[in-house]
Amino acid sequence: MIQHNDTLIIGLDHGYGNMKTANHCFPTGIIPGEDASSFAQNILEYGGKSHLIGEGHKDFIPDKVKDDDFYHLSLAGIAEELDTFGLSEGKIHIAAGLPLTWTGAQKDAFAAYLTKNTDVTFTYRKKQYTIKIAGVSIFPQGYAAVAPYITKLKGVQMLVDIGNGTMNVMILVNGKPQFNKMFTEKFGTHQCVLSIKEAFSRKTQRELNDAFIDEMLRTGSAELDEDDLVIVKAAVRDYVSQIYGKLHEYGYDEKTMRLQVVGGGGCLLEHFGHLRDGWDFVMKDICAAAKGYEYLAEVQLRSREKA
């Protein structure tokens, strides 16, 4: 969170796997409160209804405004940030993002969606919040994560943002985006998860718990029987090989380009790819995009004030 005059800029990274703010990360899951366990803590109460945040699974939909899930998840994210600083109210400027090549077409609708209510009162984790949505800024995913240090990127770089639902690719020359070299594809880590499950079921006639898959994607290994581990790792390597194949389709050249990998899927390339020490870079901070949105929004607001 960045304070700009009397406004609090809060970055929200609406991932299909996780919602991220500058200081928090929680699963992009939401289920009706009446279905929640009596032990549940992350209850959002808004508009006379309750929602359990961080449980269940949000299916991939290209248009995030089709239902109210991401709106409710946004309120939870704002509450997480405010609570971190001991606040329960404030004038909020939301900084968010959309897939690289979808930003132009979806930007206005997403901005209207996030600001559809100006004065909002809700309860999260039994704490009441009263906020005023003063504005919103929407930026391209991937680019935002490196924006704070983009002027330091020399030579030709391929920026790769691997999320749960999409993979975004952009080529930079001395830190400058090449607008005819930007791509978005529905090939996020969820596709890897599906491949792992299919391969495991086909070869063992058993189902693999998602917890083992998550552990594999994050750490490069999992507490599995050796035979099962071989199956899972083979499926991951096949997915990573497909990523490199797509990067080559988008113009990747190992001899002249450096890779800048951001997003939760970066750990896959770190553990199963062939990254080059001192040449390629994997962003470890899963909250980097949300921080980048805040940075870009502050720059934008300052620019407007000078105009």
Side-chain angles (χ1 to χ4, degrees):
M1 183 169 70
I2 296 176
Q3 181 158 358
H4 178 77
N5 298 330
D6 64 343
T7 302
L8 303 174
I9 302 172
I10 295 182
L12 299 173
D13 183 3
H14 299 82
Y16 289 99
N18 293 290
M19 279 286 297
K20 283 86 64 180
T21 68
N23 296 285
H24 296 276
C25 174
F26 55 92
T28 304
I30 181 169
I31 60 177
E34 57 267 23
D35 295 337
S37 162
S38 59
F39 298 104
Q41 299 294 318
N42 302 334
I43 298 292
L44 172 77
E45 297 177 54
Y46 173 69
K49 296 182 179 180
S50 297
H51 309 273
L52 176 58
I53 302 297
E55 299 289 339
H57 174 71
K58 177 67 178 172
D59 291 331
F60 176 84
I61 51 173
D63 193 345
K64 294 180 178 178
V65 306
K66 287 296 185 182
D67 57 39
D68 286 330
D69 286 357
F70 275 113
Y71 184 80
H72 295 137
L73 289 163
S74 297
L75 294 182
I78 290 171
E80 294 272 15
E81 280 296 294
L82 290 176
D83 187 63
T84 297
F85 296 92
L87 302 174
S88 60
E89 59 183 36
K91 183 179 177 182
I92 310 298
H93 184 97
I94 296 174
L98 287 167
L100 199 57
T101 62
W102 300 354
T103 305
Q106 298 183 356
K107 180 179 181 179
D108 291 344
F110 196 42
Y113 171 84
L114 292 173
T115 58
K116 60 184 175 181
N117 299 305
T118 302
D119 297 294
V120 184
T121 297
F122 62 97
T123 300
Y124 183 60
R125 292 179 177 170
K126 300 182 179 180
K127 180 176 178 179
Q128 182 171 296
Y129 295 87
T130 301
I131 61 174
K132 182 179 183 66
I133 306 298
V136 63
S137 298
I138 308 295
F139 303 102
Q141 289 176 2
Y143 172 78
V146 301
Y149 64 89
I150 198 166
T151 57
K152 297 180 181 180
L153 299 180
K154 304 304 180 183
V156 182
Q157 311 257 352
M158 176 171 273
L159 174 62
V160 185
D161 176 16
I162 307 172
N164 184 267
T166 60
M167 179 171 72
N168 296 280
V169 178
M170 171 190 285
I171 291 180
L172 307 169
V173 177
N174 292 323
K176 295 181 179 180
Q178 305 301 293
F179 294 103
N180 62 336
K181 296 290 184 179
M182 298 190 299
F183 312 92
T184 295
E185 185 164 346
K186 184 183 173 182
F187 197 69
T189 57
H190 182 60
Q191 300 300 314
C192 182
V193 171
L194 295 178
S195 296
I196 292 172
K197 288 185 173 182
E198 192 280 328
F200 190 84
S201 176
R202 174 165 36 86
K203 294 185 178 181
T204 68
Q205 290 74 59
R206 293 182 284 124
E207 290 188 7
L208 185 63
N209 189 285
D210 286 351
F212 293 113
I213 299 177
D214 181 65
E215 184 182 5
M216 173 63 69
L217 301 188
R218 287 186 297 102
T219 69
S221 191
E223 293 292 328
L224 288 169
D225 175 85
E226 185 60 33
D227 290 340
D228 291 344
L229 196 60
V230 168
I231 296 171
V232 175
K233 284 188 174 182
V236 177
R237 289 192 182 98
D238 180 64
Y239 169 78
V240 171
S241 177
Q242 292 181 62
I243 287 179
Y244 277 100
K246 291 182 179 296
L247 296 185
H248 284 292
E249 290 177 13
Y250 299 144
Y252 176 52
D253 177 10
E254 295 96 331
K255 293 185 177 181
T256 61
M257 291 184 182
R258 299 173 184 265
L259 289 179
Q260 289 282 330
V261 187
V262 302
C267 53
L268 291 175
L269 267 64
E270 181 181 14
H271 299 306
F272 297 95
H274 40 85
L275 299 176
R276 301 154 297 178
D277 290 340
W279 191 255
D280 299 324
F281 175 74
V282 175
M283 174 73 72
K284 301 291 183 67
D285 184 0
I286 196 171
C287 298
K291 294 174 182 176
Y293 296 149
E294 292 182 352
Y295 167 82
L296 290 170
E298 184 180 31
V299 171
Q300 185 183 77
L301 292 176
R302 291 186 182 280
S303 177
R304 289 175 182 173
E305 291 170 353
K306 293 178 181 179

